[in-house]
């Protein structure tokens, strides 16, 4: 022990006097202290006085290297005198009270806690222990206990627990001594073993003797007692004791008493303490049952409602809400089965996996809810707000650590003789153009013998119904009497709601209004470019600086749109559709129909009485504004589209088309407390059940469909059209509806994509819609994202566009039970609710809601047909049918490049040897933004700008624009008809179950065999839980960096070429974020396109490009929701990035590009250094810390939360949530 330097008292500076006294005290230790009791008292008293009067004295004792604390603790152990002991305890109390916990840490490290417990046990052996000594010991223990991690264990092993308990029992009325005992008990109880031991000793019952009704006296005692009781009740054993002892009604009565009497809200901590006790008791099933029986729901609901106007009472409201939600009885989803409402029998069922389990499920099994879904100890002691927290801590567990799998190895795959069949898709590699007339424009059209997208080759399987408007003023619909079909009595004027039978439609178009296609203006990108004669270098530099779809072409389109609006008549350029109408009989053509309503309530009164000759529906001619859209052609394409439900209708938005709004759509600012108010409305369903209508207004599971009265009291719904998804609608209150989404076909989950129609609304009334069977634990709807709405009235008035809509939007865990069958074997899980409110501006309107901008398979076919019309003699465009899908739909394959300048050997050789770029999109049907990005890419490639021409001359593009047509057509979110995620089948695709993946991989394998592997492979995707546009790639080095793999330098040999394209995009594309990119290879992604193409085909630049479904938080579009204009712009700028890659390397032979890309990255590093590449999981959105939010992650230590002002952040730790097993990355 380093002894303090001694000196005579005379002449010693005052700041060293305490060291001198400590030196004297040290010399007294042992028998001397027992003999010289009075000297010991005097010395300790002097030290105490110095510490109390001179701050420096305390610092000297606690300074680094000082032995003062050892001397004091040694004296405490050796003294037998009560007064000396008290003096030393006073000294220690003074020392540890200041210092921000550091001094307590020193005290603990020197063994101080053990000494205190030793003194406590010794003092307790006295027949009459000193009350002051017990008080000081417990006060000091209460201060040091929270800083000693082993405090609870030391207390239990030393026997201190029983000492404190007995002391409390003997001094229930001695509040001065009881308070420090309770403070120590609170620390004891933090140890779960101690809590159980204390419960067995009767401490729970003892605590209920201490807590009392409202009183202005001893409030500190009540606060500490409730804290200690709350800690005890975290033990489920103690919670059962409290329930068995009948204490739940007591706690509710006490809370109500304090709530009523604490008018000035001075005792929030006591009221909060009572709620915490109730919260912990209701962690067990028995506690929830007794809580409900004691009318706890009503008590907390009423008290919370009274607290809502006072912001400072939010902690009480939040905890009350948490308890009520936990005790809310788990409800069954209003479905007969969680399987899809549509059935498609697979040609053969996989041997293992979810689909195999689905087919092997015995008949009669209830897969909607478990027999006992309210699990015994649901969401108990150690549950965090979200199981995603654990994923955050172990995120790197998914990183691939097998070096053999991290090195790209070209797999032989299928035998070349088998792959040779794909040679027909690569005619450009073998064609010599000897018979081609390069001077004749018509001869430049290269056609594929297998292409069949023209309307003449479309197979029509059944009539297709276009819902139409009857009296959208000033239009009238004359009807041929001979062509009416009646299913009942003659309809009233309000029944004039009709659909068109498209196989008998006569489509006419005013030829004077027909707009021709001007190639130079088909894309906004090309419209703002300089003349053809300008140098490519200047052109590229210009575009790189200002590439944007908000240029001249778009502005001209917007001006044209405004021109339509400003006309005296709502419609000036219109199409006229003459057709017979099927009045009343359309419901039989729709599964889950609406009686006589065909789902498109654009009608108004008297329409069917005003015209007797023929029906005329005037619709806006959007061809002037949308060169790639033609309603007539779209209808023809629908006839050749095969759906499982055999859809017979066309949705208005797909028929009219969509023009991007001219206004910006910012991320929605979240209103404070919006989620809480919505949850309270949900709780009211249990509190006031008589107010709930519970009326089914739409149901796909009932073929005849519920009959909806024509009284305007209920909305009418429909989703029976291509890409539609809504399974059931239940009217809860007059203006509130619960909506249930349909599962993917041959699946029992993936509820996210929504697309449905609403009609019979009241103008100006606010409706609330709740999507009640969402599965993901968080959503961008909590961070500013809105749903999309399309108004037919607006479209007919010249504004055919999807717009972001909805207020009071939030996403949270609800009370609908999710069965273990649907949750992968996990019990006690719940669904999540997406809720939003909206109002309607037009009478007799038909509106559509969608998760994101719809882009159907028929839309793709229409766009491809239109693109072919844009072809010039200089463009080589070929459309092939890669294969047929399970549902009998064609999967298109496009080849785009530039025609050779002539049929000379040099030109043909250059033509054949262009590097390949392979692009694909829409493997996940719900990621519609991928199709809009692809549309931007295709339009750019077919453009007439010098950039587009240069790009075609540089590369051969192979494009599969829609990898999952069946999923898109049938309204799936993630799967194909096989019930499987196609982007997890690339390792071993089945030709029958996964034909599009099988044959797309075959194309790539063929290219690898002939030594023509693509320079770039990119699969376009959408991301539902991140902002911006970004890329995932594959890198050995970056994967090793993020793991604990022991790798040699040779293992890490890797060219950095994979970074070049994302870096270029981060410089030229305002929506692209390099900081969100990741190049880590994960085990869970080993069967995705990106990883398989990288490993097996040997494509270093193999990417997934993810586009947000929400918006951007950086760059030019920061704070804005993303729209089709920005998505198409992204597709075009991807092309520009490819051209810049070509320009920077300056080489035509792509085999040599690798050698220069390291230099490229080095020259650009200063530009992009602010955007470091990070390893990003799919859940990187900061936690939304509204205290009752069940959906956000609670691991928010390293991020800045997007929380509401005034919310207690620590409340987030008290919440419950389910983990989300479905990951969003591709």
């Amino acid at each position: 022990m380093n002894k303090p330097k001694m000196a005579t008292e005379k002449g010693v500076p005052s700041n060293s006097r305490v060291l001198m006294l400590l030196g004297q005290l040290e010399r007294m230790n042992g028998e001397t202290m027992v003999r010289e009791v009075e000297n010991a008292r005097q010395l300790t008293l002097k030290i105490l006085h110095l510490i109390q009067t001179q701050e420096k004295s305390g610092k000297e004792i606690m300074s680094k290297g000082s032995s003062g604390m050892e001397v004091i603790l040694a004296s405490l152990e050796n003294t037998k005198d009560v007064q000396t002991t008290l003096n030393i305890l006073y000294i220690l109390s003074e020392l540890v009270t200041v210092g921000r916990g550091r001094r307590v840490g020193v005290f603990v490290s020197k063994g101080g806690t053990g000494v205190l417990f030793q003194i406590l046990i010794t003092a307790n052996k006295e027949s009459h222990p000193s009350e002051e000594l017990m008080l000081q010991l417990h006060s000091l223990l209460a201060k040091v206990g929270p800083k000693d991690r082993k405090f609870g264990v030391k207390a239990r092993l030393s026997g201190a627990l029983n000492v404190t308990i007995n002391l409390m029992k003997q001094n229930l009325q001695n509040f001065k001594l009881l308070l420090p005992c309770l403070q120590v008990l609170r620390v004891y109880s933090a140890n779960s073993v101690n809590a159980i031991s204390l419960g067995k000793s009767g401490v729970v019952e003892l605590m209920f003797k201490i807590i009392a009704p409202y009183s202005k006296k001893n409030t500190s005692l009540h606060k500490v007692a409730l804290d200690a009781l709350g800690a005890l009740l975290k033990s489920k054993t103690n919670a059962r004791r409290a329930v068995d002892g009948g204490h739940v009604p007591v706690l509710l009565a006490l809370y109500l008493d304090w709530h009523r009497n604490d008018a000035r809200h001075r005792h929030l901590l006591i009221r909060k303490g009572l709620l915490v006790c109730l919260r912990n008791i209701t962690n067990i099933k028995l506690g929830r049952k007794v809580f409900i029986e004691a009318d706890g729901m009503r008590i907390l609901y009423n008290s919370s409602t009274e607290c809502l106007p006072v912001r400072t009472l939010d902690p009480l409201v939040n905890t009350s809400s948490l308890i009520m939600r936990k005790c809310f009885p788990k409800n069954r989803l209003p479905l007969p089965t969680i399987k899809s409402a549509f059935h498609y029998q697979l040609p053969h069922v996989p041997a293992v996996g979810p689909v195999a389990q689905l087919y092997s499920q015995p008949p009669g099994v209830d897969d909607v809810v478990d027999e006992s879904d309210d699990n015994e100890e649901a969401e108990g002691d150690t549950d965090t707000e979200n199981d995603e927290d654990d994923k955050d801590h172990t995120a790197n567990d998914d990183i691939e650590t097998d070096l053999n799998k991290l090195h790209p190895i070209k797999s032989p795959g299928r035998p070349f003789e088998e792959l040779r069949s794909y040679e027909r898709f690569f005619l450009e590699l073998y064609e010599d153009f000897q018979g081609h007339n390069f001077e004749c424009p018509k001869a430049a059209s290269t056609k594929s013998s297998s292409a069949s997208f023209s309307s003449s080759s479309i197979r029509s399987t059944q009539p297709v119904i276009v819902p139409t408007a009857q009296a959208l003023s000033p239009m009238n619909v004359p009807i041929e009497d001979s062509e009416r079909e009646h299913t009942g009595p003659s309809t009233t004027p309000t029944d004039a709601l009709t659909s068109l039978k498209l196989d008998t439609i006569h489509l006419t178009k005013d030829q004077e209004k027909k707009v021709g296609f001007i190639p130079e203006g088909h894309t906004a990108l090309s419209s703002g470019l300089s003349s053809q004669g300008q140098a490519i270098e200047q052109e590229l530099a210009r575009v790189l600086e200002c590439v944007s779809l908000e240029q001249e072409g778009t502005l001209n389109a917007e001006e044209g749109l405004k021109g339509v609006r400003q006309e005296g008549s709502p419609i000036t350029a219109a199409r006229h559709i003459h057709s017979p109408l099927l009045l009343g009989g359309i419901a039989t053509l729709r599964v889950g129909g609406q009686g006589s309503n065909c789902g498109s309530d654009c009608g108004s009164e008297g329409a069917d009485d005003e015209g007797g000759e023929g029906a005329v529906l005037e619709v806006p001619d959007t061809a002037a504004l949308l060169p790639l859209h033609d309603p007539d052609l779209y209808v023809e394409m629908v006839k050749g589209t095969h759906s499982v439900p055999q859809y017979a209708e066309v949705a208005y938005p797909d028929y009219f088309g969509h023009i991007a709004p001219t206004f910006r759509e910012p991320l929605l600012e979240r209103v404070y407390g919006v989620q809480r108010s919505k949850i309270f409305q949900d709780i009211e369903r249990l509190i006031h059940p008589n107010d709930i209508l519970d009326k089914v207004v739409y149901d796909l599971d009932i073929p005849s469909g519920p009959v909806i009265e024509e009284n305007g009291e209920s909305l009418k719904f429909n989703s029976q059209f291509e890409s539609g998804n809504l399974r059931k609608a239940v009217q809860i209150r007059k203006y509130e509806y619960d909506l249930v989404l349909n599962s993917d076909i041959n699946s029992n989950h993936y509820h996210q994509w929504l697309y449905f129609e609403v009609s019979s609304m009241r103008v100006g009334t606010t409706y609330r819609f709740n999507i009640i069977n969402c599965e993901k634990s968080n959503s961008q709807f909590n961070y500013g994202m809105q749903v999309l709405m399309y108004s037919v009235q607006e479209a007919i008035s010249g504004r055919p566009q999807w717009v972001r809509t909805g207020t009071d939007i939030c996403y949270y865990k609800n009370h609908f039970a999710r069965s273990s069958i649907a949750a992968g074997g996990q019990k006690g899980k719940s669904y999540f609710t997406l809720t939003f409110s909206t109002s309607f501006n037009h009478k007799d309107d038909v509106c559509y809601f969608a998760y994101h901008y719809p882009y159907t398979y028929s839309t793709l076919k229409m766009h491809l047909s239109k693109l072919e019309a844009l072809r010039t003699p200089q463009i080589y465009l070929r459309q092939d049918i890669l294969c047929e899908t399970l549902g009998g739909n064609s999967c298109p394959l496009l080849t785009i490049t530039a025609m050779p300048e002539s049929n000379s050997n040099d030109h043909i050789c250059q033509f054949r040897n262009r590097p390949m770029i392979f692009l694909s999109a829409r493997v996940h049907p719900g990621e519609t933004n991928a199709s809009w990005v692809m549309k931007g890419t295709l339009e750019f490639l077919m453009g007439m700008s010098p950039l587009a021409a240069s790009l075609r001359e540089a590369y051969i593009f192979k494009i599969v624009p829609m990898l999952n047509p069946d999923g898109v057509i049938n309204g799936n979110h993630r799967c194909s008809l096989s019930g499987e995620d196609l982007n997890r089948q690339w390792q071993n695709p089945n030709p029958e179950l996964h034909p599009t993946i099988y044959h797309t991989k075959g194309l790539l394998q063929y290219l690898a065999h002939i030594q023509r592997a693509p320079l770039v492979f990119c699969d376009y995707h959408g991301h539902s839980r991140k902002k911006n546009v970004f890329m995932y790639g594959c890198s050995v080095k970056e994967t090793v960096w993020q793991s604990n793999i022991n790798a040699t330098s040779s293992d890490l040999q890797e060219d950095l070429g994979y970074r070049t394209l994302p870096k270029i995009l981060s410089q030229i594309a305002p929506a692209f974020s390099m900081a969100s990119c990741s190049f880590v290879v994960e085990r869970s992604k080993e069967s995705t396109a990106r990883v398989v193409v990288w490993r097996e085909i040997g494509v270093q630049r193999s990417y997934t490009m993810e586009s947000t479904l929400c918006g951007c938080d950086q760059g030019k579009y920061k704070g804005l929701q993303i729209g089709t204009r920005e998505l198409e712009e992204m597709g075009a700028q991807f092309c520009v990035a490819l051209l810049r890659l070509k320009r920077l390397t300056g080489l035509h032979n792509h085999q040599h590009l690798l050698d220069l890309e390291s230099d490229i990255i080095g020259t650009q590093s200063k530009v992009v250094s602010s955007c470091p590449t990070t390893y990003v999981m799919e859940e990187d959105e900061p936690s939304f810390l509204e205290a009752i939010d069940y959906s956000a992650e609670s691991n928010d230590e390293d991020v800045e939360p997007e929380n509401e002002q005034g919310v207690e952040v620590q409340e987030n730790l008290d919440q419950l949530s389910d983990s989300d097993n479905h990951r969003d990355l591709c």
Side-chain angles (χ1 to χ4, degrees), residues 7-23:
T8 58
E9 188 170 349
K10 211 172 202 182
V12 174
S14 59
N15 62 353
S16 299
R17 187 172 181 184
V18 69
L19 298 180
M20 182 195 71
L21 292 174
L22 284 171

Side-chain angles (χ1 to χ4, degrees), residues 398-650:
D398 190 35
I399 295 179
E400 182 59 71
T401 56
D402 185 349
L403 282 173
N404 292 325
K405 293 183 178 180
L406 288 177
H407 287 289
I409 300 176
K410 294 184 181 181
S411 171
R414 295 151 64 183
F416 185 63
E417 290 304 317
E418 183 180 335
L419 293 173
R420 194 183 292 275
S421 61
Y422 294 103
E423 186 176 299
R424 63 192 177 93
F425 296 111
F426 297 95
L427 300 179
E428 68 279 0
L429 301 182
Y430 308 101
E431 191 164 355
D432 57 13
F433 295 94
Q434 294 305 313
H436 188 86
N437 184 354
F438 287 89
E439 297 179 0
C440 178
K442 292 183 179 179
S445 298
T446 58
K447 295 183 179 180
S448 166
S449 59
S450 59
S452 60
F453 291 105
S454 63
S455 59
S456 61
S457 62
I458 293 176
R459 294 163 293 175
S460 179
T461 58
Q462 65 170 41
V464 180
I465 307 302
V466 176
T468 61
Q470 287 299 312
L472 292 166
S473 181
M475 293 166 286
N476 299 321
V477 185
I479 301 169
E480 297 284 352
D481 290 340
S482 61
E483 293 177 323
R484 294 188 181 182
E485 292 183 13
H486 296 275
T487 57
S490 60
T491 57
T492 62
T494 57
D495 286 330
L497 310 171
T498 65
S499 295
L500 296 179
K501 191 171 182 179
L502 292 191
D503 60 342
T504 57
I505 280 181
H506 175 62
L507 300 171
T508 63
K509 187 182 303 181
D510 189 336
Q511 296 300 317
E512 294 180 358
K513 295 174 182 176
K514 183 174 181 179
V515 179
F517 296 102
I518 304 173
E520 289 79 8
H522 82 279
T523 174
L525 266 170
S526 60
S527 63
L529 299 176
S530 57
S531 65
Q532 179 73 30
Q534 198 168 0
I536 294 297
E537 291 292 324
Q538 296 175 353
E539 182 65 24
L540 181 57
R542 172 191 171 101
V543 173
L544 291 180
E545 292 175 1
C546 61
V547 167
S548 172
L549 293 181
E550 299 176 12
Q551 290 183 355
E552 182 181 344
T554 303
L555 293 176
N556 289 342
E558 292 170 357
E559 290 170 4
L561 183 59
K562 293 175 184 175
V564 174
R565 298 177 190 171
Q566 293 168 357
E567 296 292 335
S569 169
I571 306 298
T572 56
R575 294 168 186 260
H576 303 275
I577 300 180
H578 304 270
S579 74
L581 286 163
L582 307 177
L583 294 180
I586 304 305
T588 59
L589 297 177
R590 175 188 302 167
V591 179
Q594 303 288 340
S596 62
N597 166 41
C598 68
S600 300
D601 300 1
C602 276
S604 65
E605 300 168 2
D608 55 343
D609 297 328
E610 294 181 7
E613 294 297 322
V616 177
L617 169 65
E618 297 191 38
V619 298
D621 187 350
T622 56
L625 306 176
L626 294 173
L628 293 186
H629 188 86
D630 184 340
D632 302 346
L633 181 58
Y634 181 80
V635 170
E636 291 301 310
M637 295 303 174
V638 170
K639 292 180 180 181
T641 297
H642 305 282
S643 63
V644 172
Q646 298 184 339
Y647 292 136
E649 298 177 21
V650 175

Side-chain angles (χ1 to χ4, degrees), residues 622-816:
T622 56
L625 306 176
L626 294 173
L628 293 186
H629 188 86
D630 184 340
D632 302 346
L633 181 58
Y634 181 80
V635 170
E636 291 301 310
M637 295 303 174
V638 170
K639 292 180 180 181
T641 297
H642 305 282
S643 63
V644 172
Q646 298 184 339
Y647 292 136
E649 298 177 21
V650 175
Y652 270 119
D654 304 322
Y655 180 71
F656 286 162
H658 160 73
I659 297 174
T662 58
F663 48 87
R664 291 187 168 189
E665 296 179 293
L667 293 168
L668 183 68
E669 184 176 349
R670 182 151 170 152
V671 179
Y672 177 81
V674 58
Q675 179 173 284
R676 184 175 59 197
S677 66
K678 297 299 180 185
I679 290 171
F680 268 65
Q681 291 176 25
D682 292 348
I683 293 172
E684 286 175 6
R685 300 187 188 191
L686 186 66
I687 305 296
H688 305 297
N690 294 333
D691 296 342
I692 303 304
L693 300 177
D694 201 25
K695 175 184 177 183
V696 178
V697 295
Y698 182 72
D699 193 350
L700 287 182
D701 293 295
I702 304 177
S704 59
V707 178
I708 306 303
E709 303 85 356
E710 298 291 343
N711 54 13
E713 294 299 317
S714 300
L715 293 176
K716 296 176 182 178
F717 295 84
N718 177 34
S719 62
Q720 288 291 278
F721 44 79
E722 187 175 347
S723 294
N725 191 318
L726 178 67
R727 181 170 185 168
K728 190 168 187 175
V730 182
Q731 187 175 12
I732 300 300
R733 299 181 177 93
K734 188 172 183 179
Y735 302 118
E736 180 180 356
Y737 294 82
D738 279 357
L739 308 179
V740 183
L741 301 180
N742 195 22
S743 301
D744 285 6
I745 293 175
N746 277 316
S747 171
N748 56 22
H749 54 290
Y750 297 120
H751 307 107
Q752 188 166 334
W753 170 252
L754 60 94
Y755 185 15
F756 59 87
E757 171 193 288
V758 175
S759 56
S760 289
M761 66 282 291
R762 292 188 176 184
V763 176
T765 299
T766 299
Y767 292 87
R768 177 185 173 184
F769 298 101
N770 311 307
I771 314 295
I772 62 172
N773 63 331
C774 301
E775 295 169 326
K776 292 190 175 181
S777 61
N778 202 358
S779 169
Q780 283 293 319
F781 286 112
N782 275 336
Y783 304 98
M785 179 172 158
Q786 294 174 284
V787 295
L788 286 148
M789 185 176 80
Y790 191 104
S791 165
V792 175
Q793 285 279 17
E794 287 288 314
I796 292 178
S797 299
R799 294 175 291 277
Q801 56 194 205
W802 286 98
V803 294
R804 300 278 185 173
T805 191
T807 58
D808 296 344
I809 300 178
C810 52
Y811 187 96
Y812 57 90
K813 194 178 79 170
N814 60 32
H815 54 272
F816 288 100

Side-chain angles (χ1 to χ4, degrees), residues 324-342:
M324 288 187 287
R325 294 182 68 189
K326 190 165 33 174
C327 295
F328 201 115
K330 289 287 185 70
N331 287 0
R332 174 194 177 93
L333 271 181
L335 296 175
T337 175
I338 55 174
K339 297 177 186 176
S340 173
F342 308 129

